[in-house]
Amino acid sequence: MSATAIDAAARDTVAACAPVGDPEPLDVVDGVAPGLVVRPGSTDEVAAVLRAAAAHGLSVVPRGRGTKLGWGMPPSSVDVLLDLAGLDGVTEHAAGDLIVTARAGTRLADVQRHVAAAGQRLAVDETVPGASVGGTLAAATSGPGRLVTGTVRDLLIGLTVVRADGVVAKAGGKVVKNVAGYDLGKLMVGSFGTLAVVTEATFRLHPVPAARRWVSAPVEDAAQAHELVQRVVHGQAVPAAVEIEWPPGGGGVLTVLLEGREAGVEARAAVVRELLGSQATDADRAPAGWSSYPWTDTDREGRTALKLTCTLSGLAGVLRTAREAAEDAPVTLRGSAGAGVLYAALPAGIPVDAVARTVDRLRETCRRYGGAAVVLDAPAAVKAAVDLWGPVPALDLMRRVKDQFDPDHRLSPGRYVGGI
């Protein structure tokens, strides 16, 4: 069934389950227009929609706040766009247990405001402004804070999902030590909405640190950047995050975040300044662009966005390759130098063959250092010509998992690796 031609019976059945709206331009999913937009307000309504969609063989693409809807491949069809913005709000905050439960459409910023009243935080960087809880889980986004607190996958302790057939399932719990269902949580994170629809999630929290300090220093070349990162990560300063900004024109900036008690942070900041050299400076506010990607929503048209991973020993190699790629395309990097997870942006206007060569060069370097290069978002012409994911050794296993969770392949069809 096409994404825009849904017969009246199917439309009426779905409409009876939750509020329905006519598609608008902003509802287009990476170039694919939905047949209808459904806006459920509860897990039960999500389940009813998915049961109705299953009965009529309709494809369903879930959407949180739409901040990363262009990531991955375009879906092969979008009969129903499942708008989860109505699943909004924190449903439980047990401050004494350091946990919070929020519905999938809740913005991360709103969760942070809620728990901040108790001097707590969800230790997840908001790399994309306006991102929701569900979208963050689906895309597995992370920032430099992952160095110490881990990723959203590490902080997730429980969740509620709705399967493609409309069955509601729960995993984990509301106690940090409870690991029941942990594997289900790991499967959902980064699955791009292809396995099930997350409607609610529970996370463990951290106390808000009494003091934070950012120490920054310029770096001239890849070798110096590598050496300074090694000094900081393996020294006594115990950084909360180490981020590098690496523009295509030369030089770069390394920034170290320190957190903790006021006196301790001041002492450790002095240690880091000494490690980074005489040009190091520090501030009690994050520098511009901290924890964000080297691209914005406003420049999405035409640009290419990548995620690069490598072992810590491979940082210099990745930085060098990014500079060497300038003969084909200027590459801007930003990311967690301390964790070996970087993000790259290629500007609009680069020929597709030049983008392909640049991706290949970065991919080969990342592979050599135990990592990978994934194209997160790109123009349609690039997505048609370039393998977004690269080699995936576990692809057969991933396909079997997809068959188990969604045997008819109706959830976000074709968006993920290998056409999953």
Side-chain angles (χ1 to χ4, degrees), residues 5-39:
I6 300 177
D7 64 47
R11 180 180 291 271
D12 290 345
T13 302
V14 173
C17 301
V20 171
D22 292 326
E24 299 178 359
L26 290 177
D27 295 324
V28 173
V29 183
D30 206 8
V32 183
L36 70 160
V37 181
V38 182
R39 299 182 176 91

PDB file of all heavy atoms in Angstrom, residues 5-39:
ATOM      1  N   ALA A   5      -2.100   6.561  -0.197  1.00  0.00           N
ATOM      2  CA  ALA A   5      -3.398   6.008  -0.599  1.00  0.00           C
ATOM      3  C   ALA A   5      -3.847   4.961   0.403  1.00  0.00           C
ATOM      4  O   ALA A   5      -3.504   3.794   0.302  1.00  0.00           O
ATOM      5  CB  ALA A   5      -3.304   5.389  -1.993  1.00  0.00           C
ATOM      6  N   ILE A   6      -4.601   5.387   1.398  1.00  0.00           N
ATOM      7  CA  ILE A   6      -5.133   4.482   2.414  1.00  0.00           C
ATOM      8  C   ILE A   6      -6.630   4.400   2.218  1.00  0.00           C
ATOM      9  O   ILE A   6      -7.317   5.429   2.160  1.00  0.00           O
ATOM     10  CB  ILE A   6      -4.811   5.001   3.831  1.00  0.00           C
ATOM     11  CG1 ILE A   6      -3.295   5.102   4.012  1.00  0.00           C
ATOM     12  CG2 ILE A   6      -5.398   4.101   4.887  1.00  0.00           C
ATOM     13  CD1 ILE A   6      -2.887   5.668   5.343  1.00  0.00           C
ATOM     14  N   ASP A   7      -7.151   3.191   2.116  1.00  0.00           N
ATOM     15  CA  ASP A   7      -8.587   3.078   1.836  1.00  0.00           C
ATOM     16  C   ASP A   7      -9.406   3.562   3.032  1.00  0.00           C
ATOM     17  O   ASP A   7      -8.925   3.671   4.163  1.00  0.00           O
ATOM     18  CB  ASP A   7      -8.958   1.652   1.435  1.00  0.00           C
ATOM     19  CG  ASP A   7      -8.728   0.634   2.536  1.00  0.00           C
ATOM     20  OD1 ASP A   7      -9.129   0.889   3.691  1.00  0.00           O
ATOM     21  OD2 ASP A   7      -8.158  -0.430   2.240  1.00  0.00           O
ATOM     22  N   ALA A   8     -10.623   3.877   2.779  1.00  0.00           N
ATOM     23  CA  ALA A   8     -11.494   4.506   3.775  1.00  0.00           C
ATOM     24  C   ALA A   8     -11.660   3.636   5.008  1.00  0.00           C
ATOM     25  O   ALA A   8     -11.704   4.140   6.140  1.00  0.00           O
ATOM     26  CB  ALA A   8     -12.856   4.817   3.149  1.00  0.00           C
ATOM     27  N   ALA A   9     -11.780   2.330   4.817  1.00  0.00           N
ATOM     28  CA  ALA A   9     -11.972   1.437   5.959  1.00  0.00           C
ATOM     29  C   ALA A   9     -10.771   1.488   6.905  1.00  0.00           C
ATOM     30  O   ALA A   9     -10.924   1.560   8.135  1.00  0.00           O
ATOM     31  CB  ALA A   9     -12.197   0.011   5.480  1.00  0.00           C
ATOM     32  N   ALA A  10      -9.576   1.466   6.327  1.00  0.00           N
ATOM     33  CA  ALA A  10      -8.370   1.522   7.156  1.00  0.00           C
ATOM     34  C   ALA A  10      -8.273   2.861   7.865  1.00  0.00           C
ATOM     35  O   ALA A  10      -7.954   2.932   9.055  1.00  0.00           O
ATOM     36  CB  ALA A  10      -7.135   1.289   6.291  1.00  0.00           C
ATOM     37  N   ARG A  11      -8.562   3.929   7.153  1.00  0.00           N
ATOM     38  CA  ARG A  11      -8.500   5.261   7.754  1.00  0.00           C
ATOM     39  C   ARG A  11      -9.485   5.380   8.918  1.00  0.00           C
ATOM     40  O   ARG A  11      -9.145   5.885   9.993  1.00  0.00           O
ATOM     41  CB  ARG A  11      -8.796   6.323   6.694  1.00  0.00           C
ATOM     42  CG  ARG A  11      -8.750   7.755   7.214  1.00  0.00           C
ATOM     43  CD  ARG A  11      -9.064   8.732   6.084  1.00  0.00           C
ATOM     44  NE  ARG A  11      -8.002   8.766   5.117  1.00  0.00           N
ATOM     45  CZ  ARG A  11      -6.943   9.577   5.187  1.00  0.00           C
ATOM     46  NH1 ARG A  11      -6.830  10.414   6.208  1.00  0.00           N
ATOM     47  NH2 ARG A  11      -6.007   9.549   4.271  1.00  0.00           N
ATOM     48  N   ASP A  12     -10.690   4.899   8.713  1.00  0.00           N
ATOM     49  CA  ASP A  12     -11.700   4.984   9.761  1.00  0.00           C
ATOM     50  C   ASP A  12     -11.324   4.151  10.972  1.00  0.00           C
ATOM     51  O   ASP A  12     -11.561   4.557  12.123  1.00  0.00           O
ATOM     52  CB  ASP A  12     -13.060   4.538   9.219  1.00  0.00           C
ATOM     53  CG  ASP A  12     -13.644   5.525   8.220  1.00  0.00           C
ATOM     54  OD1 ASP A  12     -13.155   6.663   8.164  1.00  0.00           O
ATOM     55  OD2 ASP A  12     -14.576   5.133   7.488  1.00  0.00           O
ATOM     56  N   THR A  13     -10.737   2.981  10.724  1.00  0.00           N
ATOM     57  CA  THR A  13     -10.340   2.114  11.835  1.00  0.00           C
ATOM     58  C   THR A  13      -9.261   2.773  12.684  1.00  0.00           C
ATOM     59  O   THR A  13      -9.335   2.772  13.924  1.00  0.00           O
ATOM     60  CB  THR A  13      -9.821   0.762  11.299  1.00  0.00           C
ATOM     61  OG1 THR A  13     -10.841   0.141  10.512  1.00  0.00           O
ATOM     62  CG2 THR A  13      -9.448  -0.166  12.445  1.00  0.00           C
ATOM     63  N   VAL A  14      -8.257   3.357  12.029  1.00  0.00           N
ATOM     64  CA  VAL A  14      -7.185   4.016  12.763  1.00  0.00           C
ATOM     65  C   VAL A  14      -7.706   5.264  13.461  1.00  0.00           C
ATOM     66  O   VAL A  14      -7.368   5.553  14.616  1.00  0.00           O
ATOM     67  CB  VAL A  14      -6.016   4.361  11.817  1.00  0.00           C
ATOM     68  CG1 VAL A  14      -4.974   5.201  12.551  1.00  0.00           C
ATOM     69  CG2 VAL A  14      -5.373   3.097  11.265  1.00  0.00           C
ATOM     70  N   ALA A  15      -8.560   6.019  12.768  1.00  0.00           N
ATOM     71  CA  ALA A  15      -9.095   7.260  13.336  1.00  0.00           C
ATOM     72  C   ALA A  15      -9.915   7.009  14.590  1.00  0.00           C
ATOM     73  O   ALA A  15     -10.026   7.878  15.455  1.00  0.00           O
ATOM     74  CB  ALA A  15      -9.940   7.982  12.295  1.00  0.00           C
ATOM     75  N   ALA A  16     -10.489   5.825  14.706  1.00  0.00           N
ATOM     76  CA  ALA A  16     -11.289   5.508  15.886  1.00  0.00           C
ATOM     77  C   ALA A  16     -10.419   5.274  17.123  1.00  0.00           C
ATOM     78  O   ALA A  16     -10.925   5.251  18.243  1.00  0.00           O
ATOM     79  CB  ALA A  16     -12.137   4.274  15.617  1.00  0.00           C
ATOM     80  N   CYS A  17      -9.107   5.121  16.919  1.00  0.00           N
ATOM     81  CA  CYS A  17      -8.213   4.781  18.029  1.00  0.00           C
ATOM     82  C   CYS A  17      -7.579   6.006  18.687  1.00  0.00           C
ATOM     83  O   CYS A  17      -7.219   5.962  19.865  1.00  0.00           O
ATOM     84  CB  CYS A  17      -7.095   3.869  17.526  1.00  0.00           C
ATOM     85  SG  CYS A  17      -7.680   2.337  16.786  1.00  0.00           S
ATOM     86  N   ALA A  18      -7.398   7.083  17.933  1.00  0.00           N
ATOM     87  CA  ALA A  18      -6.712   8.273  18.444  1.00  0.00           C
ATOM     88  C   ALA A  18      -6.991   9.429  17.516  1.00  0.00           C
ATOM     89  O   ALA A  18      -7.410   9.221  16.361  1.00  0.00           O
ATOM     90  CB  ALA A  18      -5.204   8.014  18.536  1.00  0.00           C
ATOM     91  N   PRO A  19      -6.783  10.663  17.975  1.00  0.00           N
ATOM     92  CA  PRO A  19      -7.006  11.817  17.091  1.00  0.00           C
ATOM     93  C   PRO A  19      -6.172  11.732  15.821  1.00  0.00           C
ATOM     94  O   PRO A  19      -5.005  11.359  15.856  1.00  0.00           O
ATOM     95  CB  PRO A  19      -6.569  12.999  17.961  1.00  0.00           C
ATOM     96  CG  PRO A  19      -6.725  12.521  19.362  1.00  0.00           C
ATOM     97  CD  PRO A  19      -6.392  11.068  19.332  1.00  0.00           C
ATOM     98  N   VAL A  20      -6.772  12.082  14.698  1.00  0.00           N
ATOM     99  CA  VAL A  20      -6.118  12.005  13.396  1.00  0.00           C
ATOM    100  C   VAL A  20      -6.121  13.383  12.754  1.00  0.00           C
ATOM    101  O   VAL A  20      -7.091  14.129  12.855  1.00  0.00           O
ATOM    102  CB  VAL A  20      -6.837  10.987  12.485  1.00  0.00           C
ATOM    103  CG1 VAL A  20      -6.307  11.066  11.057  1.00  0.00           C
ATOM    104  CG2 VAL A  20      -6.655   9.573  13.026  1.00  0.00           C
ATOM    105  N   GLY A  21      -5.032  13.717  12.083  1.00  0.00           N
ATOM    106  CA  GLY A  21      -4.957  14.966  11.340  1.00  0.00           C
ATOM    107  C   GLY A  21      -4.502  14.715   9.922  1.00  0.00           C
ATOM    108  O   GLY A  21      -3.900  13.678   9.612  1.00  0.00           O
ATOM    109  N   ASP A  22      -4.804  15.643   9.042  1.00  0.00           N
ATOM    110  CA  ASP A  22      -4.317  15.537   7.672  1.00  0.00           C
ATOM    111  C   ASP A  22      -2.841  15.897   7.622  1.00  0.00           C
ATOM    112  O   ASP A  22      -2.391  16.811   8.329  1.00  0.00           O
ATOM    113  CB  ASP A  22      -5.107  16.476   6.751  1.00  0.00           C
ATOM    114  CG  ASP A  22      -6.549  16.020   6.585  1.00  0.00           C
ATOM    115  OD1 ASP A  22      -6.780  14.793   6.583  1.00  0.00           O
ATOM    116  OD2 ASP A  22      -7.438  16.885   6.473  1.00  0.00           O
ATOM    117  N   PRO A  23      -2.066  15.207   6.799  1.00  0.00           N
ATOM    118  CA  PRO A  23      -0.632  15.495   6.711  1.00  0.00           C
ATOM    119  C   PRO A  23      -0.362  16.931   6.280  1.00  0.00           C
ATOM    120  O   PRO A  23      -1.077  17.495   5.459  1.00  0.00           O
ATOM    121  CB  PRO A  23      -0.144  14.494   5.659  1.00  0.00           C
ATOM    122  CG  PRO A  23      -1.162  13.396   5.657  1.00  0.00           C
ATOM    123  CD  PRO A  23      -2.464  14.071   5.951  1.00  0.00           C
ATOM    124  N   GLU A  24       0.682  17.515   6.860  1.00  0.00           N
ATOM    125  CA  GLU A  24       1.148  18.834   6.501  1.00  0.00           C
ATOM    126  C   GLU A  24       2.590  18.732   6.011  1.00  0.00           C
ATOM    127  O   GLU A  24       3.227  17.684   6.172  1.00  0.00           O
ATOM    128  CB  GLU A  24       1.055  19.767   7.715  1.00  0.00           C
ATOM    129  CG  GLU A  24      -0.371  19.926   8.237  1.00  0.00           C
ATOM    130  CD  GLU A  24      -0.442  20.823   9.462  1.00  0.00           C
ATOM    131  OE1 GLU A  24       0.626  21.300   9.900  1.00  0.00           O
ATOM    132  OE2 GLU A  24      -1.554  21.034   9.970  1.00  0.00           O
ATOM    133  N   PRO A  25       3.128  19.795   5.397  1.00  0.00           N
ATOM    134  CA  PRO A  25       4.505  19.717   4.883  1.00  0.00           C
ATOM    135  C   PRO A  25       5.532  19.256   5.905  1.00  0.00           C
ATOM    136  O   PRO A  25       6.451  18.502   5.566  1.00  0.00           O
ATOM    137  CB  PRO A  25       4.766  21.152   4.408  1.00  0.00           C
ATOM    138  CG  PRO A  25       3.427  21.669   4.032  1.00  0.00           C
ATOM    139  CD  PRO A  25       2.464  21.053   5.006  1.00  0.00           C
ATOM    140  N   LEU A  26       5.397  19.673   7.160  1.00  0.00           N
ATOM    141  CA  LEU A  26       6.362  19.285   8.183  1.00  0.00           C
ATOM    142  C   LEU A  26       6.246  17.812   8.566  1.00  0.00           C
ATOM    143  O   LEU A  26       7.109  17.290   9.273  1.00  0.00           O
ATOM    144  CB  LEU A  26       6.188  20.162   9.429  1.00  0.00           C
ATOM    145  CG  LEU A  26       6.611  21.625   9.281  1.00  0.00           C
ATOM    146  CD1 LEU A  26       6.323  22.389  10.569  1.00  0.00           C
ATOM    147  CD2 LEU A  26       8.081  21.755   8.917  1.00  0.00           C
ATOM    148  N   ASP A  27       5.201  17.149   8.140  1.00  0.00           N
ATOM    149  CA  ASP A  27       5.010  15.738   8.470  1.00  0.00           C
ATOM    150  C   ASP A  27       5.733  14.804   7.504  1.00  0.00           C
ATOM    151  O   ASP A  27       5.753  13.590   7.716  1.00  0.00           O
ATOM    152  CB  ASP A  27       3.517  15.396   8.477  1.00  0.00           C
ATOM    153  CG  ASP A  27       2.760  16.125   9.575  1.00  0.00           C
ATOM    154  OD1 ASP A  27       3.340  16.313  10.660  1.00  0.00           O
ATOM    155  OD2 ASP A  27       1.600  16.520   9.339  1.00  0.00           O
ATOM    156  N   VAL A  28       6.286  15.328   6.433  1.00  0.00           N
ATOM    157  CA  VAL A  28       7.000  14.497   5.461  1.00  0.00           C
ATOM    158  C   VAL A  28       8.237  13.895   6.128  1.00  0.00           C
ATOM    159  O   VAL A  28       9.014  14.593   6.784  1.00  0.00           O
ATOM    160  CB  VAL A  28       7.401  15.328   4.232  1.00  0.00           C
ATOM    161  CG1 VAL A  28       8.290  14.516   3.291  1.00  0.00           C
ATOM    162  CG2 VAL A  28       6.156  15.799   3.489  1.00  0.00           C
ATOM    163  N   VAL A  29       8.420  12.600   5.959  1.00  0.00           N
ATOM    164  CA  VAL A  29       9.537  11.887   6.585  1.00  0.00           C
ATOM    165  C   VAL A  29      10.622  11.646   5.543  1.00  0.00           C
ATOM    166  O   VAL A  29      10.522  10.744   4.710  1.00  0.00           O
ATOM    167  CB  VAL A  29       9.081  10.543   7.183  1.00  0.00           C
ATOM    168  CG1 VAL A  29      10.258   9.851   7.886  1.00  0.00           C
ATOM    169  CG2 VAL A  29       7.928  10.747   8.150  1.00  0.00           C
ATOM    170  N   ASP A  30      11.636  12.499   5.552  1.00  0.00           N
ATOM    171  CA  ASP A  30      12.770  12.355   4.639  1.00  0.00           C
ATOM    172  C   ASP A  30      12.303  12.201   3.189  1.00  0.00           C
ATOM    173  O   ASP A  30      12.782  11.339   2.455  1.00  0.00           O
ATOM    174  CB  ASP A  30      13.626  11.160   5.056  1.00  0.00           C
ATOM    175  CG  ASP A  30      15.076  11.313   4.608  1.00  0.00           C
ATOM    176  OD1 ASP A  30      15.443  12.394   4.113  1.00  0.00           O
ATOM    177  OD2 ASP A  30      15.836  10.337   4.739  1.00  0.00           O
ATOM    178  N   GLY A  31      11.353  13.031   2.809  1.00  0.00           N
ATOM    179  CA  GLY A  31      10.868  13.020   1.427  1.00  0.00           C
ATOM    180  C   GLY A  31       9.668  12.146   1.179  1.00  0.00           C
ATOM    181  O   GLY A  31       9.104  12.162   0.076  1.00  0.00           O
ATOM    182  N   VAL A  32       9.242  11.377   2.174  1.00  0.00           N
ATOM    183  CA  VAL A  32       8.108  10.463   2.004  1.00  0.00           C
ATOM    184  C   VAL A  32       6.907  11.023   2.763  1.00  0.00           C
ATOM    185  O   VAL A  32       6.950  11.189   3.984  1.00  0.00           O
ATOM    186  CB  VAL A  32       8.440   9.046   2.513  1.00  0.00           C
ATOM    187  CG1 VAL A  32       7.264   8.099   2.266  1.00  0.00           C
ATOM    188  CG2 VAL A  32       9.698   8.524   1.839  1.00  0.00           C
ATOM    189  N   ALA A  33       5.826  11.302   2.030  1.00  0.00           N
ATOM    190  CA  ALA A  33       4.630  11.883   2.654  1.00  0.00           C
ATOM    191  C   ALA A  33       3.794  10.797   3.319  1.00  0.00           C
ATOM    192  O   ALA A  33       3.589   9.720   2.753  1.00  0.00           O
ATOM    193  CB  ALA A  33       3.791  12.605   1.600  1.00  0.00           C
ATOM    194  N   PRO A  34       3.284  11.063   4.523  1.00  0.00           N
ATOM    195  CA  PRO A  34       2.432  10.074   5.193  1.00  0.00           C
ATOM    196  C   PRO A  34       1.013  10.096   4.642  1.00  0.00           C
ATOM    197  O   PRO A  34       0.559  11.109   4.102  1.00  0.00           O
ATOM    198  CB  PRO A  34       2.455  10.527   6.649  1.00  0.00           C
ATOM    199  CG  PRO A  34       2.654  12.009   6.567  1.00  0.00           C
ATOM    200  CD  PRO A  34       3.533  12.242   5.360  1.00  0.00           C
ATOM    201  N   GLY A  35       0.330   8.967   4.821  1.00  0.00           N
ATOM    202  CA  GLY A  35      -1.071   8.915   4.423  1.00  0.00           C
ATOM    203  C   GLY A  35      -1.951   9.656   5.407  1.00  0.00           C
ATOM    204  O   GLY A  35      -2.880  10.353   5.033  1.00  0.00           O
ATOM    205  N   LEU A  36      -1.663   9.504   6.701  1.00  0.00           N
ATOM    206  CA  LEU A  36      -2.366  10.249   7.732  1.00  0.00           C
ATOM    207  C   LEU A  36      -1.478  10.365   8.955  1.00  0.00           C
ATOM    208  O   LEU A  36      -0.510   9.610   9.119  1.00  0.00           O
ATOM    209  CB  LEU A  36      -3.692   9.602   8.112  1.00  0.00           C
ATOM    210  CG  LEU A  36      -3.688   8.280   8.885  1.00  0.00           C
ATOM    211  CD1 LEU A  36      -5.027   8.093   9.571  1.00  0.00           C
ATOM    212  CD2 LEU A  36      -3.461   7.111   7.933  1.00  0.00           C
ATOM    213  N   VAL A  37      -1.778  11.324   9.802  1.00  0.00           N
ATOM    214  CA  VAL A  37      -1.011  11.575  11.020  1.00  0.00           C
ATOM    215  C   VAL A  37      -1.906  11.287  12.212  1.00  0.00           C
ATOM    216  O   VAL A  37      -3.027  11.806  12.304  1.00  0.00           O
ATOM    217  CB  VAL A  37      -0.509  13.028  11.078  1.00  0.00           C
ATOM    218  CG1 VAL A  37       0.299  13.260  12.347  1.00  0.00           C
ATOM    219  CG2 VAL A  37       0.326  13.357   9.846  1.00  0.00           C
ATOM    220  N   VAL A  38      -1.428  10.442  13.130  1.00  0.00           N
ATOM    221  CA  VAL A  38      -2.195  10.062  14.308  1.00  0.00           C
ATOM    222  C   VAL A  38      -1.480  10.595  15.537  1.00  0.00           C
ATOM    223  O   VAL A  38      -0.255  10.489  15.654  1.00  0.00           O
ATOM    224  CB  VAL A  38      -2.334   8.526  14.405  1.00  0.00           C
ATOM    225  CG1 VAL A  38      -3.181   8.141  15.596  1.00  0.00           C
ATOM    226  CG2 VAL A  38      -2.937   7.978  13.130  1.00  0.00           C
ATOM    227  N   ARG A  39      -2.254  11.169  16.455  1.00  0.00           N
ATOM    228  CA  ARG A  39      -1.662  11.791  17.641  1.00  0.00           C
ATOM    229  C   ARG A  39      -2.242  11.171  18.916  1.00  0.00           C
ATOM    230  O   ARG A  39      -3.139  11.730  19.547  1.00  0.00           O
ATOM    231  CB  ARG A  39      -1.898  13.295  17.615  1.00  0.00           C
ATOM    232  CG  ARG A  39      -1.257  13.973  16.409  1.00  0.00           C
ATOM    233  CD  ARG A  39      -1.448  15.475  16.399  1.00  0.00           C
ATOM    234  NE  ARG A  39      -0.728  16.082  15.286  1.00  0.00           N
ATOM    235  CZ  ARG A  39      -1.252  16.299  14.083  1.00  0.00           C
ATOM    236  NH1 ARG A  39      -2.509  15.963  13.841  1.00  0.00           N
ATOM    237  NH2 ARG A  39      -0.529  16.850  13.120  1.00  0.00           N
TER     238      ARG A  39
END
